[in-house]
Amino acid sequence: MAKARTRGGRALIWLVVLIAGLIGVNFSAVQWGGGSWTPNLALDLEGGTQIVLEPQLAEGASVTQEQLDQAVAIIRQRVDASGVSEAEITTQGGRNIVVALPGEPDAATMQRIQASAKMEFRPVLQSAAANVPGAEPTAEPAPEGAEPTATPQNAWDLAWITPEVQSAFDTFQCADVDTTQVAPADQPYVTCSTDGTARFILGPVVVEGADIADAQVSAATNSQGQATGGWGVNLELDGDGPASFDAVTRAITGLPEPQNQFAVVLDATVLMPITSNAVITDGNAQITGGFTQEGAQSLADQLRFGALPIGFEVQSNETISPTLGASQLQAGLLAGLIGLILVVLYSVLQYRALGLVVVLSLGVAGILTYLVVTFLSSTEGYRLSLAGIAGLVIAIGITADSFIVYFERIRDELREGKHLSSALETGWKRAFRTILISDAVSFLAAVILYLLSVGNVRGFAFTLGITTFIDIVVVALFTHPLLRLLSRTSFFSSGHRLSGLDPQALGAVYRGRAKFREPVVAARSSREAQKRQTIAERKAAVGAGTSTGTGKEN
């Protein structure tokens, strides 16, 4: 009994530590991360911004449905990169793309949406600051070896810089960049950086965007593997990428700037020039350069999700109202409240005082869920939608089902004649296996639904997965430990008629099943008492018979 009490107390302490930890991380997110103590709401509840994107095509050209579908898929990936943002992305009129985002999108999100064209890696042959509009352009001296004395031998050969290319570079204005045109992959071309502060002469393509297998953000490290305190993008190449990357880094590493650089090109502009500090032979490299975490994440998203097959520009940008969603939210919350009340009433009627354990457990589950959702909203960009709220409402039934499984196991053990403390432990072992299997199936369904769906359905799957996991935590760290402590009270241990563990009530309610019988210990004591009484009676009978016989002889 003392051991069970100790285990129950420890479990409750761990639960308090968990809740305190969640409060602490939420406090940190609010104080230093710009978060909030309330979850962010999705488009259907908060309203937001609707952006209509129009494709930029050459005269006489048309957009195909395949291109639109690919563009929608890539934009959705880019928008959802920071979490389940509940964006709605659709096509309109077989030509435009409509992006509806909750709240007001920031500049980085807008850039993700509009980024298009083909992504390429090209060597930098020459670079300079952008020409000032209206000012007389200053001719840049051609780098040594740039005279076209021979046919270029590779993509980084300075022989690509012909007098015509040099002249175009000297007079080039960044405002003249045409993002709807893609230069031939086997030819050099002149362009500017995305922010318009620098101009470049780039060689032919050395690595295609299709060869990028993955790009992830991590802490930046130096050549010795030590953290530098900044952020970097870990780049992974496949296909022809590793061999091409090996060749270009082997050739340009150690050359004077800017010939030791290659450019990440998207939308016909240079996202950034990358300096090659080492020969990369395996196709795995880290891109650094004074990134903030947000800047590194934005570049990683662009590299990982590739480029749109066609260019788009914003045709319209307007605010949309959440009026319809607000009324639906009220209806959804009302339905959830009614469901909660029904669960509580059923628990109290069926399990008497045990129903109060259900109420307390649901309250703890609600606190944990709220803290987790708020934390994810502040740190991961999660937004709560109507579908997500539906997942939370369904969780009430999942959690209540776990309590029913546990309580019925305890009652079955009591019907077998076990003491309450023994019934609790045996019933818990059997019930917990059933709860784990049930929750594992629900969690697996939520994961598959999340991976295979988009938009609001992902929000439903996300909250369903969270609440399923929390159900296990609550049952293991609160419900069972609380019953261990309650079992020590005379109200429950004596089987009071209002405790939900009354032996007579159990036999009366469940007719046709095995009737409650007295505990094994009590039965054994009764049999021993009867045996002692029988022996005493026999001895008395023998003594009486002996005395009678003796009297007759006399």
PDB file of all heavy atoms in Angstrom, residues 78-111:
ATOM      1  N   ARG A  78       5.462  26.066 -49.773  1.00  0.00           N
ATOM      2  CA  ARG A  78       6.207  27.220 -49.273  1.00  0.00           C
ATOM      3  C   ARG A  78       5.459  27.902 -48.131  1.00  0.00           C
ATOM      4  O   ARG A  78       6.051  28.282 -47.115  1.00  0.00           O
ATOM      5  CB  ARG A  78       6.443  28.216 -50.412  1.00  0.00           C
ATOM      6  CG  ARG A  78       7.449  27.725 -51.447  1.00  0.00           C
ATOM      7  CD  ARG A  78       7.527  28.699 -52.613  1.00  0.00           C
ATOM      8  NE  ARG A  78       8.595  28.318 -53.539  1.00  0.00           N
ATOM      9  CZ  ARG A  78       8.832  28.931 -54.691  1.00  0.00           C
ATOM     10  NH1 ARG A  78       8.063  29.938 -55.065  1.00  0.00           N
ATOM     11  NH2 ARG A  78       9.815  28.537 -55.465  1.00  0.00           N
ATOM     12  N   VAL A  79       4.158  28.066 -48.281  1.00  0.00           N
ATOM     13  CA  VAL A  79       3.370  28.749 -47.257  1.00  0.00           C
ATOM     14  C   VAL A  79       3.302  27.917 -45.981  1.00  0.00           C
ATOM     15  O   VAL A  79       3.379  28.444 -44.869  1.00  0.00           O
ATOM     16  CB  VAL A  79       1.955  29.049 -47.787  1.00  0.00           C
ATOM     17  CG1 VAL A  79       1.055  29.556 -46.674  1.00  0.00           C
ATOM     18  CG2 VAL A  79       2.017  30.081 -48.906  1.00  0.00           C
ATOM     19  N   ASP A  80       3.167  26.596 -46.127  1.00  0.00           N
ATOM     20  CA  ASP A  80       3.037  25.720 -44.963  1.00  0.00           C
ATOM     21  C   ASP A  80       4.374  25.363 -44.334  1.00  0.00           C
ATOM     22  O   ASP A  80       4.413  24.617 -43.352  1.00  0.00           O
ATOM     23  CB  ASP A  80       2.324  24.420 -45.348  1.00  0.00           C
ATOM     24  CG  ASP A  80       0.852  24.647 -45.663  1.00  0.00           C
ATOM     25  OD1 ASP A  80       0.358  25.744 -45.339  1.00  0.00           O
ATOM     26  OD2 ASP A  80       0.224  23.755 -46.230  1.00  0.00           O
ATOM     27  N   ALA A  81       5.485  25.880 -44.868  1.00  0.00           N
ATOM     28  CA  ALA A  81       6.812  25.484 -44.395  1.00  0.00           C
ATOM     29  C   ALA A  81       7.025  25.818 -42.926  1.00  0.00           C
ATOM     30  O   ALA A  81       7.752  25.122 -42.233  1.00  0.00           O
ATOM     31  CB  ALA A  81       7.893  26.166 -45.238  1.00  0.00           C
ATOM     32  N   SER A  82       6.383  26.867 -42.441  1.00  0.00           N
ATOM     33  CA  SER A  82       6.572  27.280 -41.054  1.00  0.00           C
ATOM     34  C   SER A  82       5.548  26.654 -40.112  1.00  0.00           C
ATOM     35  O   SER A  82       5.529  26.954 -38.930  1.00  0.00           O
ATOM     36  CB  SER A  82       6.477  28.810 -40.942  1.00  0.00           C
ATOM     37  OG  SER A  82       5.227  29.262 -41.407  1.00  0.00           O
ATOM     38  N   GLY A  83       4.712  25.752 -40.585  1.00  0.00           N
ATOM     39  CA  GLY A  83       3.714  25.109 -39.738  1.00  0.00           C
ATOM     40  C   GLY A  83       2.379  25.000 -40.450  1.00  0.00           C
ATOM     41  O   GLY A  83       2.242  25.318 -41.627  1.00  0.00           O
ATOM     42  N   VAL A  84       1.365  24.531 -39.703  1.00  0.00           N
ATOM     43  CA  VAL A  84       0.027  24.387 -40.273  1.00  0.00           C
ATOM     44  C   VAL A  84      -0.633  25.761 -40.264  1.00  0.00           C
ATOM     45  O   VAL A  84      -1.229  26.183 -39.292  1.00  0.00           O
ATOM     46  CB  VAL A  84      -0.806  23.390 -39.469  1.00  0.00           C
ATOM     47  CG1 VAL A  84      -2.159  23.168 -40.135  1.00  0.00           C
ATOM     48  CG2 VAL A  84      -0.070  22.065 -39.342  1.00  0.00           C
ATOM     49  N   SER A  85      -0.510  26.493 -41.338  1.00  0.00           N
ATOM     50  CA  SER A  85      -1.008  27.868 -41.366  1.00  0.00           C
ATOM     51  C   SER A  85      -2.426  27.955 -41.907  1.00  0.00           C
ATOM     52  O   SER A  85      -2.999  29.031 -41.959  1.00  0.00           O
ATOM     53  CB  SER A  85      -0.084  28.741 -42.220  1.00  0.00           C
ATOM     54  OG  SER A  85       0.008  28.236 -43.535  1.00  0.00           O
ATOM     55  N   GLU A  86      -3.019  26.828 -42.319  1.00  0.00           N
ATOM     56  CA  GLU A  86      -4.411  26.787 -42.781  1.00  0.00           C
ATOM     57  C   GLU A  86      -4.659  27.696 -43.984  1.00  0.00           C
ATOM     58  O   GLU A  86      -5.718  28.290 -44.116  1.00  0.00           O
ATOM     59  CB  GLU A  86      -5.367  27.176 -41.646  1.00  0.00           C
ATOM     60  CG  GLU A  86      -5.212  26.351 -40.380  1.00  0.00           C
ATOM     61  CD  GLU A  86      -5.701  24.927 -40.543  1.00  0.00           C
ATOM     62  OE1 GLU A  86      -6.319  24.626 -41.566  1.00  0.00           O
ATOM     63  OE2 GLU A  86      -5.446  24.123 -39.636  1.00  0.00           O
ATOM     64  N   ALA A  87      -3.684  27.826 -44.866  1.00  0.00           N
ATOM     65  CA  ALA A  87      -3.880  28.638 -46.065  1.00  0.00           C
ATOM     66  C   ALA A  87      -4.777  27.898 -47.057  1.00  0.00           C
ATOM     67  O   ALA A  87      -4.773  26.669 -47.130  1.00  0.00           O
ATOM     68  CB  ALA A  87      -2.530  28.935 -46.714  1.00  0.00           C
ATOM     69  N   GLU A  88      -5.542  28.678 -47.809  1.00  0.00           N
ATOM     70  CA  GLU A  88      -6.380  28.122 -48.869  1.00  0.00           C
ATOM     71  C   GLU A  88      -5.807  28.583 -50.203  1.00  0.00           C
ATOM     72  O   GLU A  88      -5.740  29.782 -50.474  1.00  0.00           O
ATOM     73  CB  GLU A  88      -7.822  28.590 -48.707  1.00  0.00           C
ATOM     74  CG  GLU A  88      -8.484  28.087 -47.428  1.00  0.00           C
ATOM     75  CD  GLU A  88      -9.910  28.586 -47.282  1.00  0.00           C
ATOM     76  OE1 GLU A  88     -10.391  29.235 -48.242  1.00  0.00           O
ATOM     77  OE2 GLU A  88     -10.524  28.339 -46.240  1.00  0.00           O
ATOM     78  N   ILE A  89      -5.396  27.629 -51.032  1.00  0.00           N
ATOM     79  CA  ILE A  89      -4.748  27.937 -52.310  1.00  0.00           C
ATOM     80  C   ILE A  89      -5.503  27.210 -53.408  1.00  0.00           C
ATOM     81  O   ILE A  89      -5.564  25.977 -53.422  1.00  0.00           O
ATOM     82  CB  ILE A  89      -3.267  27.519 -52.296  1.00  0.00           C
ATOM     83  CG1 ILE A  89      -2.556  28.163 -51.096  1.00  0.00           C
ATOM     84  CG2 ILE A  89      -2.576  27.913 -53.596  1.00  0.00           C
ATOM     85  CD1 ILE A  89      -1.162  27.655 -50.866  1.00  0.00           C
ATOM     86  N   THR A  90      -6.087  27.955 -54.329  1.00  0.00           N
ATOM     87  CA  THR A  90      -6.910  27.388 -55.390  1.00  0.00           C
ATOM     88  C   THR A  90      -6.612  28.086 -56.705  1.00  0.00           C
ATOM     89  O   THR A  90      -5.949  29.125 -56.742  1.00  0.00           O
ATOM     90  CB  THR A  90      -8.405  27.541 -55.056  1.00  0.00           C
ATOM     91  OG1 THR A  90      -8.702  28.943 -54.870  1.00  0.00           O
ATOM     92  CG2 THR A  90      -8.769  26.785 -53.779  1.00  0.00           C
ATOM     93  N   THR A  91      -7.119  27.506 -57.780  1.00  0.00           N
ATOM     94  CA  THR A  91      -7.015  28.144 -59.092  1.00  0.00           C
ATOM     95  C   THR A  91      -8.309  28.880 -59.408  1.00  0.00           C
ATOM     96  O   THR A  91      -9.371  28.568 -58.858  1.00  0.00           O
ATOM     97  CB  THR A  91      -6.724  27.102 -60.185  1.00  0.00           C
ATOM     98  OG1 THR A  91      -7.797  26.142 -60.201  1.00  0.00           O
ATOM     99  CG2 THR A  91      -5.413  26.386 -59.929  1.00  0.00           C
ATOM    100  N   GLN A  92      -8.216  29.835 -60.301  1.00  0.00           N
ATOM    101  CA  GLN A  92      -9.372  30.651 -60.645  1.00  0.00           C
ATOM    102  C   GLN A  92      -9.399  30.877 -62.162  1.00  0.00           C
ATOM    103  O   GLN A  92      -8.442  31.409 -62.732  1.00  0.00           O
ATOM    104  CB  GLN A  92      -9.302  32.005 -59.918  1.00  0.00           C
ATOM    105  CG  GLN A  92     -10.486  32.927 -60.174  1.00  0.00           C
ATOM    106  CD  GLN A  92     -10.272  34.283 -59.514  1.00  0.00           C
ATOM    107  OE1 GLN A  92      -9.479  35.094 -59.972  1.00  0.00           O
ATOM    108  NE2 GLN A  92     -10.984  34.512 -58.405  1.00  0.00           N
ATOM    109  N   GLY A  93     -10.485  30.441 -62.795  1.00  0.00           N
ATOM    110  CA  GLY A  93     -10.656  30.690 -64.219  1.00  0.00           C
ATOM    111  C   GLY A  93      -9.653  29.985 -65.106  1.00  0.00           C
ATOM    112  O   GLY A  93      -9.443  30.393 -66.253  1.00  0.00           O
ATOM    113  N   GLY A  94      -9.004  28.930 -64.596  1.00  0.00           N
ATOM    114  CA  GLY A  94      -8.038  28.211 -65.419  1.00  0.00           C
ATOM    115  C   GLY A  94      -6.793  29.012 -65.746  1.00  0.00           C
ATOM    116  O   GLY A  94      -6.028  28.644 -66.642  1.00  0.00           O
ATOM    117  N   ARG A  95      -6.545  30.089 -64.976  1.00  0.00           N
ATOM    118  CA  ARG A  95      -5.403  30.939 -65.288  1.00  0.00           C
ATOM    119  C   ARG A  95      -4.724  31.488 -64.026  1.00  0.00           C
ATOM    120  O   ARG A  95      -3.513  31.390 -63.882  1.00  0.00           O
ATOM    121  CB  ARG A  95      -5.839  32.107 -66.183  1.00  0.00           C
ATOM    122  CG  ARG A  95      -4.733  33.103 -66.504  1.00  0.00           C
ATOM    123  CD  ARG A  95      -5.245  34.213 -67.390  1.00  0.00           C
ATOM    124  NE  ARG A  95      -4.223  35.238 -67.592  1.00  0.00           N
ATOM    125  CZ  ARG A  95      -3.290  35.175 -68.529  1.00  0.00           C
ATOM    126  NH1 ARG A  95      -3.257  34.140 -69.352  1.00  0.00           N
ATOM    127  NH2 ARG A  95      -2.396  36.144 -68.656  1.00  0.00           N
ATOM    128  N   ASN A  96      -5.523  32.067 -63.133  1.00  0.00           N
ATOM    129  CA  ASN A  96      -4.968  32.701 -61.942  1.00  0.00           C
ATOM    130  C   ASN A  96      -4.915  31.725 -60.771  1.00  0.00           C
ATOM    131  O   ASN A  96      -5.579  30.691 -60.762  1.00  0.00           O
ATOM    132  CB  ASN A  96      -5.807  33.925 -61.546  1.00  0.00           C
ATOM    133  CG  ASN A  96      -5.768  35.007 -62.604  1.00  0.00           C
ATOM    134  OD1 ASN A  96      -4.843  35.067 -63.419  1.00  0.00           O
ATOM    135  ND2 ASN A  96      -6.779  35.856 -62.610  1.00  0.00           N
ATOM    136  N   ILE A  97      -4.135  32.101 -59.763  1.00  0.00           N
ATOM    137  CA  ILE A  97      -4.053  31.347 -58.518  1.00  0.00           C
ATOM    138  C   ILE A  97      -4.478  32.283 -57.386  1.00  0.00           C
ATOM    139  O   ILE A  97      -3.990  33.411 -57.283  1.00  0.00           O
ATOM    140  CB  ILE A  97      -2.633  30.811 -58.260  1.00  0.00           C
ATOM    141  CG1 ILE A  97      -2.290  29.735 -59.295  1.00  0.00           C
ATOM    142  CG2 ILE A  97      -2.521  30.230 -56.853  1.00  0.00           C
ATOM    143  CD1 ILE A  97      -0.904  29.167 -59.144  1.00  0.00           C
ATOM    144  N   VAL A  98      -5.388  31.791 -56.528  1.00  0.00           N
ATOM    145  CA  VAL A  98      -5.881  32.576 -55.403  1.00  0.00           C
ATOM    146  C   VAL A  98      -5.297  31.990 -54.117  1.00  0.00           C
ATOM    147  O   VAL A  98      -5.482  30.810 -53.824  1.00  0.00           O
ATOM    148  CB  VAL A  98      -7.419  32.568 -55.336  1.00  0.00           C
ATOM    149  CG1 VAL A  98      -7.903  33.380 -54.140  1.00  0.00           C
ATOM    150  CG2 VAL A  98      -8.006  33.107 -56.632  1.00  0.00           C
ATOM    151  N   VAL A  99      -4.600  32.837 -53.381  1.00  0.00           N
ATOM    152  CA  VAL A  99      -3.997  32.441 -52.109  1.00  0.00           C
ATOM    153  C   VAL A  99      -4.674  33.226 -50.993  1.00  0.00           C
ATOM    154  O   VAL A  99      -4.598  34.453 -50.959  1.00  0.00           O
ATOM    155  CB  VAL A  99      -2.479  32.713 -52.101  1.00  0.00           C
ATOM    156  CG1 VAL A  99      -1.864  32.241 -50.784  1.00  0.00           C
ATOM    157  CG2 VAL A  99      -1.802  32.033 -53.284  1.00  0.00           C
ATOM    158  N   ALA A 100      -5.353  32.527 -50.087  1.00  0.00           N
ATOM    159  CA  ALA A 100      -6.001  33.153 -48.940  1.00  0.00           C
ATOM    160  C   ALA A 100      -5.227  32.777 -47.686  1.00  0.00           C
ATOM    161  O   ALA A 100      -5.088  31.594 -47.352  1.00  0.00           O
ATOM    162  CB  ALA A 100      -7.457  32.699 -48.823  1.00  0.00           C
ATOM    163  N   LEU A 101      -4.691  33.785 -46.990  1.00  0.00           N
ATOM    164  CA  LEU A 101      -3.836  33.568 -45.827  1.00  0.00           C
ATOM    165  C   LEU A 101      -4.471  34.193 -44.586  1.00  0.00           C
ATOM    166  O   LEU A 101      -5.064  35.272 -44.666  1.00  0.00           O
ATOM    167  CB  LEU A 101      -2.454  34.198 -46.040  1.00  0.00           C
ATOM    168  CG  LEU A 101      -1.646  33.701 -47.235  1.00  0.00           C
ATOM    169  CD1 LEU A 101      -0.410  34.558 -47.414  1.00  0.00           C
ATOM    170  CD2 LEU A 101      -1.248  32.253 -47.027  1.00  0.00           C
ATOM    171  N   PRO A 102      -4.361  33.545 -43.416  1.00  0.00           N
ATOM    172  CA  PRO A 102      -4.886  34.155 -42.188  1.00  0.00           C
ATOM    173  C   PRO A 102      -4.041  35.347 -41.780  1.00  0.00           C
ATOM    174  O   PRO A 102      -2.816  35.347 -41.928  1.00  0.00           O
ATOM    175  CB  PRO A 102      -4.771  33.024 -41.161  1.00  0.00           C
ATOM    176  CG  PRO A 102      -3.689  32.140 -41.693  1.00  0.00           C
ATOM    177  CD  PRO A 102      -3.785  32.216 -43.183  1.00  0.00           C
ATOM    178  N   GLY A 103      -4.691  36.373 -41.245  1.00  0.00           N
ATOM    179  CA  GLY A 103      -3.965  37.551 -40.795  1.00  0.00           C
ATOM    180  C   GLY A 103      -3.367  38.321 -41.960  1.00  0.00           C
ATOM    181  O   GLY A 103      -3.822  38.247 -43.106  1.00  0.00           O
ATOM    182  N   GLU A 104      -2.310  39.070 -41.665  1.00  0.00           N
ATOM    183  CA  GLU A 104      -1.613  39.852 -42.678  1.00  0.00           C
ATOM    184  C   GLU A 104      -0.246  39.229 -42.934  1.00  0.00           C
ATOM    185  O   GLU A 104       0.597  39.184 -42.030  1.00  0.00           O
ATOM    186  CB  GLU A 104      -1.444  41.302 -42.234  1.00  0.00           C
ATOM    187  CG  GLU A 104      -0.813  42.198 -43.288  1.00  0.00           C
ATOM    188  CD  GLU A 104      -0.738  43.646 -42.854  1.00  0.00           C
ATOM    189  OE1 GLU A 104      -1.349  43.982 -41.811  1.00  0.00           O
ATOM    190  OE2 GLU A 104      -0.080  44.436 -43.530  1.00  0.00           O
ATOM    191  N   PRO A 105       0.007  38.681 -44.127  1.00  0.00           N
ATOM    192  CA  PRO A 105       1.284  38.004 -44.384  1.00  0.00           C
ATOM    193  C   PRO A 105       2.454  38.973 -44.335  1.00  0.00           C
ATOM    194  O   PRO A 105       2.338  40.132 -44.752  1.00  0.00           O
ATOM    195  CB  PRO A 105       1.096  37.423 -45.793  1.00  0.00           C
ATOM    196  CG  PRO A 105       0.058  38.291 -46.422  1.00  0.00           C
ATOM    197  CD  PRO A 105      -0.860  38.705 -45.309  1.00  0.00           C
ATOM    198  N   ASP A 106       3.595  38.501 -43.833  1.00  0.00           N
ATOM    199  CA  ASP A 106       4.785  39.336 -43.788  1.00  0.00           C
ATOM    200  C   ASP A 106       5.494  39.309 -45.131  1.00  0.00           C
ATOM    201  O   ASP A 106       5.104  38.597 -46.066  1.00  0.00           O
ATOM    202  CB  ASP A 106       5.724  38.887 -42.660  1.00  0.00           C
ATOM    203  CG  ASP A 106       6.084  37.408 -42.771  1.00  0.00           C
ATOM    204  OD1 ASP A 106       5.963  36.842 -43.878  1.00  0.00           O
ATOM    205  OD2 ASP A 106       6.490  36.830 -41.760  1.00  0.00           O
ATOM    206  N   ALA A 107       6.570  40.083 -45.234  1.00  0.00           N
ATOM    207  CA  ALA A 107       7.292  40.200 -46.500  1.00  0.00           C
ATOM    208  C   ALA A 107       7.896  38.871 -46.933  1.00  0.00           C
ATOM    209  O   ALA A 107       7.919  38.539 -48.120  1.00  0.00           O
ATOM    210  CB  ALA A 107       8.381  41.267 -46.379  1.00  0.00           C
ATOM    211  N   ALA A 108       8.389  38.078 -45.954  1.00  0.00           N
ATOM    212  CA  ALA A 108       9.002  36.791 -46.300  1.00  0.00           C
ATOM    213  C   ALA A 108       7.973  35.837 -46.910  1.00  0.00           C
ATOM    214  O   ALA A 108       8.269  35.127 -47.878  1.00  0.00           O
ATOM    215  CB  ALA A 108       9.627  36.159 -45.055  1.00  0.00           C
ATOM    216  N   THR A 109       6.751  35.841 -46.362  1.00  0.00           N
ATOM    217  CA  THR A 109       5.700  34.981 -46.906  1.00  0.00           C
ATOM    218  C   THR A 109       5.305  35.421 -48.305  1.00  0.00           C
ATOM    219  O   THR A 109       5.118  34.591 -49.203  1.00  0.00           O
ATOM    220  CB  THR A 109       4.474  34.999 -45.982  1.00  0.00           C
ATOM    221  OG1 THR A 109       4.856  34.553 -44.680  1.00  0.00           O
ATOM    222  CG2 THR A 109       3.379  34.094 -46.520  1.00  0.00           C
ATOM    223  N   MET A 110       5.184  36.721 -48.518  1.00  0.00           N
ATOM    224  CA  MET A 110       4.867  37.225 -49.840  1.00  0.00           C
ATOM    225  C   MET A 110       5.947  36.853 -50.846  1.00  0.00           C
ATOM    226  O   MET A 110       5.664  36.510 -51.997  1.00  0.00           O
ATOM    227  CB  MET A 110       4.693  38.743 -49.787  1.00  0.00           C
ATOM    228  CG  MET A 110       3.448  39.200 -49.025  1.00  0.00           C
ATOM    229  SD  MET A 110       1.908  38.668 -49.831  1.00  0.00           S
ATOM    230  CE  MET A 110       1.988  39.611 -51.360  1.00  0.00           C
ATOM    231  N   GLN A 111       7.193  36.898 -50.407  1.00  0.00           N
ATOM    232  CA  GLN A 111       8.291  36.537 -51.310  1.00  0.00           C
ATOM    233  C   GLN A 111       8.221  35.055 -51.671  1.00  0.00           C
ATOM    234  O   GLN A 111       8.456  34.678 -52.824  1.00  0.00           O
ATOM    235  CB  GLN A 111       9.631  36.869 -50.638  1.00  0.00           C
ATOM    236  CG  GLN A 111      10.819  36.962 -51.590  1.00  0.00           C
ATOM    237  CD  GLN A 111      11.380  35.601 -51.952  1.00  0.00           C
ATOM    238  OE1 GLN A 111      11.241  34.657 -51.185  1.00  0.00           O
ATOM    239  NE2 GLN A 111      11.989  35.499 -53.111  1.00  0.00           N
TER     240      GLN A 111
END
